[in-house]
Amino acid sequence: MIRERYLNGLVLVLLLAVPLWALINDQPFTITLATRAAIFALAAVGLNIALGLGGLVSLGHAAFFGIGGYAMGILAYHAQTYTPVMELPFVIEGTKSMPIIWLVAMVTSGTAALLIGLLSLRTTGVYFIMITLAFGQMFYFFSISWIAYGGEDGLSIYIRNDFPGLNTLVPINFFAICFTLLCLVLFINGLVARSPFGLALNAARQAPQRVQTVGLDPQRLKLVAFVLSGVITGLAGALFADLNRFVSPTMFSWQTSGEIMIFVILGGTARLCGPVVGAVVFVMLEHALGGLSEYWHIYLGALLLLVVLFARGGLVGLISGRAVAHD
Amino acid sequence: MTDPILATHNLQKSFGALKATDNVSIDLYPGEIHAIIGPNGAGKSTLIAQICGELKPNAGRIELLGQDVTHTNTLTRAKAGIGRTFQISALAMEDTVLQNVLLGAVGAVGSPWRFLFPVLADKLLYSKANDALKRVGLQGDAARRTSDLSHGQRRQLEVAVALTLEPKAFVMDEPMAGLGAEGSKTLTGFLNGLRDEAPILLVEHDMDAVFALADRISVLVYGQIIETGTVDQIRSSKAVREAYLGSDT
């Protein structure tokens, strides 16, 4: 068994090496694929905080992914059309600056996660799954009916947004941004998991009664985890929209929520780099099998079935064994 | 006479027509172990749940250190000083023994809102957790996964978590449940020494342990306290013998 921390390092090195190899061999599409994998991984790292640490099976994380996407889309659309986002009670201009867009995406998705969490966390089990799914679908249908921003057709952004000192239209530069953010969020996730908050949240998932009797509120812990999770998935949504230079209601769809959950389960729930492994495997299968058949999801389904049946710790668990508490 | 640390006054709880707690008044004084015994279904767990804030009574009052806590929740009562252990171990089974005790220390210090600081690097939390483990004799098992512990060790760990809270009163729901004779004897010795730290309200079926530990015993039958007294008084009570202990005890 490979120790998990070595496996984590290996996964990240490989994710970095592939686009570098593609850069040398002039394969820009491969760099785009790696960027897609890094962004999906980031979205799934977000979900993993709620699902893995907090035990919150959210089937509505597409809401935060989509909010991040639309935060980017709306701000960039107004910047490219030189129109303000709003004029009353005060003027808000659009922007093409990635850091500002990320901040707006994180604040809006975090606020949405707070409101959704406050209502959803009154329920547990299948009801929690259903209520989060319902919220996701509410955003989906709202975006379809939001004609001002493209409705069902979505919204195209002609030029990728700016990052100080980098030409973001160069694929490897945009990959570098996404990969750096992924590593930063993984680092923070690792710290959070070992912190007093992570300890209490992990216990709240396993023994909420015990957490209460030591004077801590499991619901509040889970709510904070849900908000953190929403913030990270929202950031991933903004990056995903920038990668495609396009946002559409699909980002809010329940299929997107399902895919983010598949990344986590495939790679390994509650394992630090599980979402990264899951997202990379997903993108590889999508690329390798998508060309062969429109119905490539059948193979993904079979793989997921095998993992759920025979590798409860996901692919990371299969390779590195059960989680070590202080690893 | 000193005031009780914990007291219930005319506590009542009904589930439909069933009176699970029927006008129950008990108290717990500093330094004592007050055992609650009774047959299955007598309402012991319901009483404990009300004292710890998990169930709201229909009527009556619960006081902790002279303060009315009847309408407060579990969290407030834990913070106010009730250290509870469960009949069925409520522990984070995937975590290590140390992590479980650290959780108690985090609760005692009230510091769960630190996100980027490693819990193991906090000397205060670590020393509190380590002290509690030492006291129950689990210091050698700190790094073990809780699910790998024996049943008896889990009971010890339950007590260790409660110890980190430095409670004003312990409320223990069948701590001897499932322990062998040796384990029961060890835990009895430990609880005997614990009374000086905080009094213990003890719900227990193991009569040897109860008779060895309790200063007072209350007998609960069909939701009512039928007798409260010393070990000798309870042993010799005809009503208790008929209702619970059996005539040959």
Side-chain angles (χ1 to χ4, degrees):
Chain A
M1 293 280 176
I2 303 172
R3 279 177 71 92
E4 193 172 337
R5 64 173 63 182
Y6 298 131
L7 180 66
N8 292 345
L10 185 67
V11 167
L12 292 175
V13 166
L14 280 176
L15 184 56
L16 180 64
V18 168
L20 290 177
W21 170 86
L23 178 70
I24 294 163
N25 292 285
D26 196 24
Q27 304 265 350
F29 181 65
T30 305
I31 301 175
T32 303
L33 279 183
T35 312
R36 186 176 165 82
I39 295 171
F40 279 161
L42 186 63
V45 169
L47 177 63
N48 201 25
I49 290 179
L51 179 64
L53 282 178
L56 302 168
V57 186
S58 165
L59 206 49
H61 259 51
F64 314 126
F65 196 63
I67 287 171
Y70 270 82
M72 173 275 176
I74 291 168
L75 288 171
Y77 169 77
H78 284 282
Q80 78 185 7
T81 56
Y82 302 103
T83 54
V85 178
M86 57 184 263
E87 289 179 291
L88 290 172
F90 45 82
V91 178
I92 295 180
E93 301 284 357
T95 179
K96 297 285 287 178
S97 164
M98 278 189 190
I100 296 174
I101 288 170
W102 297 343
L103 192 64
V104 172
M106 289 193 289
V107 169
T108 47
S109 53
T111 307
L114 177 66
L115 297 175
I116 293 173
L118 277 171
L119 293 166
S120 313
L121 283 166
R122 292 164 180 265
T123 63
T124 54
V126 73
Y127 298 102
F128 181 81
I129 297 173
M130 286 298 115
I131 199 166
T132 50
L133 173 65
F135 273 114
Q137 289 302 92
M138 276 169 59
F139 279 97
Y140 174 69
F141 286 110
F142 176 76
S143 64
I144 283 180
S145 64
W146 207 6
I147 303 300
Y149 295 111
E152 205 165 356
D153 296 330
L155 197 59
S156 290
I157 305 302
Y158 303 127
I159 299 174
R160 187 169 286 152
N161 294 305
D162 310 322
F163 188 84
L166 276 181
N167 178 0
T168 56
L169 283 171
V170 177
I172 196 71
N173 287 352
F174 190 58
F175 170 81
I177 290 171
C178 297
F179 184 76
T180 306
L181 284 172
L182 174 65
C183 290
L184 184 68
V185 168
L186 281 171
F187 177 69
I188 292 171
N189 187 2
L191 288 179
V192 168
R194 287 168 171 74
S195 71
F197 171 76
L199 179 88
L201 178 65
N202 203 14
R205 172 176 60 84
Q206 299 173 64
Q209 214 178 6
R210 162 61 59 206
V211 173
Q212 276 192 318
T213 55
V214 300
L216 303 175
D217 186 346
Q219 290 301 91
R220 198 177 290 183
L221 291 163
K222 287 179 181 179
L223 180 62
V224 172
F226 196 69
V227 172
L228 264 177
S229 169
V231 165
I232 295 168
T233 305
L235 173 64
L239 293 170
F240 188 69
D242 235 331
L243 173 72
N244 300 322
R245 281 167 278 170
F246 177 67
V247 283
S248 76
T250 310
M251 285 185 77
F252 282 120
S253 75
W254 66 271
Q255 288 95 327
T256 304
S257 293
E259 282 178 356
I260 299 172
M261 191 173 285
I262 286 172
F263 305 152
V264 177
I265 295 170
L266 200 59
T269 312
R271 313 303 284 257
L272 185 64
C273 277
V276 184
V277 172
V280 167
V281 168
F282 180 90
V283 171
M284 279 166 55
L285 286 176
E286 184 184 44
H287 177 60
L289 301 175
L292 298 177
S293 165
E294 194 182 333
Y295 306 107
W296 70 274
H297 283 90
I298 294 171
Y299 304 107
L300 176 70
L303 177 63
L304 190 64
L305 203 65
L306 288 174
V307 165
V308 171
L309 286 175
F310 302 111
R312 298 297 290 271
L315 295 172
V316 169
L318 192 68
I319 297 167
S320 64
R322 75 180 189 179
V324 178
H326 292 298
D327 199 19
Chain B
M1 191 176 176
T2 53
D3 294 327
I5 301 283
L6 182 67
T8 70
H9 302 280
N10 305 316
L11 213 57
Q12 290 181 39
K13 180 71 188 176
S14 299
F15 298 103
L18 176 74
K19 286 185 174 174
T21 308
D22 189 2
N23 231 22
V24 169
S25 297
I26 53 164
D27 42 30
L28 180 68
Y29 285 92
E32 80 164 340
I33 294 179
H34 187 159
I36 313 275
I37 62 170
N40 287 328
K44 302 186 296 293
S45 292
T46 305
L47 178 63
I48 291 275
Q50 290 171 86
I51 290 172
C52 295
E54 290 148 26
L55 275 179
K56 282 192 193 313
N58 298 121
R61 208 169 72 248
I62 301 164
E63 286 180 0
L64 181 64
L65 298 166
Q67 300 288 313
D68 188 343
V69 293
T70 316
H71 303 291
T72 61
N73 60 16
T74 310
L75 292 181
T76 313
R77 285 185 217 187
K79 285 177 187 166
I82 290 183
R84 188 210 205 292
T85 68
F86 292 90
Q87 184 180 352
I88 299 166
S89 296
L91 298 162
M93 291 296 174
E94 294 169 17
D95 289 355
T96 62
V97 168
L98 179 63
Q99 282 174 314
N100 269 283
V101 193
L102 276 169
L103 174 73
V106 169
V109 176
S111 62
W113 306 115
R114 286 183 299 160
F115 297 85
L116 303 177
F117 188 80
V119 69
L120 285 171
D122 187 314
K123 285 181 183 161
L124 174 67
L125 295 180
Y126 186 78
S127 72
K128 270 178 103 68
N130 217 23
D131 284 352
L133 284 181
K134 267 186 199 160
R135 291 191 57 191
V136 299
L138 281 178
Q139 71 271 32
D141 300 289
R144 287 178 70 191
R145 186 179 284 244
T146 304
S147 58
D148 294 340
L149 293 184
S150 70
H151 180 74
Q153 287 172 316
R154 290 181 197 175
R155 309 304 304 177
Q156 287 172 277
L157 181 54
E158 282 263 335
V159 176
V161 177
L163 275 175
T164 57
L165 299 169
E166 296 173 20
K168 303 288 186 291
F170 288 101
V171 177
M172 298 191 176
D173 196 357
E174 297 196 32
M176 313 289 173
L179 291 185
E182 195 56 39
S184 183
K185 198 176 157 192
T186 308
L187 193 55
T188 300
F190 177 73
L191 295 184
N192 200 25
L194 199 60
R195 73 176 78 210
D196 295 331
E197 193 162 319
I200 303 172
L201 188 67
L202 177 71
V203 167
E204 189 50 65
H205 272 301
D206 181 339
M207 283 305 133
D208 290 337
V210 168
F211 290 146
L213 283 169
D215 299 294
R216 283 188 301 153
I217 299 172
S218 289
V219 184
L220 195 66
V221 179
Y222 295 121
Q224 288 184 319
I225 299 282
I226 61 164
E227 188 101 40
T228 294
T230 62
V231 171
D232 290 339
Q233 284 168 336
I234 294 299
R235 273 184 196 273
S236 58
S237 164
K238 192 168 174 248
V240 173
R241 277 209 306 274
E242 281 173 3
Y244 181 51
L245 292 176
S247 54
D248 57 339
T249 306

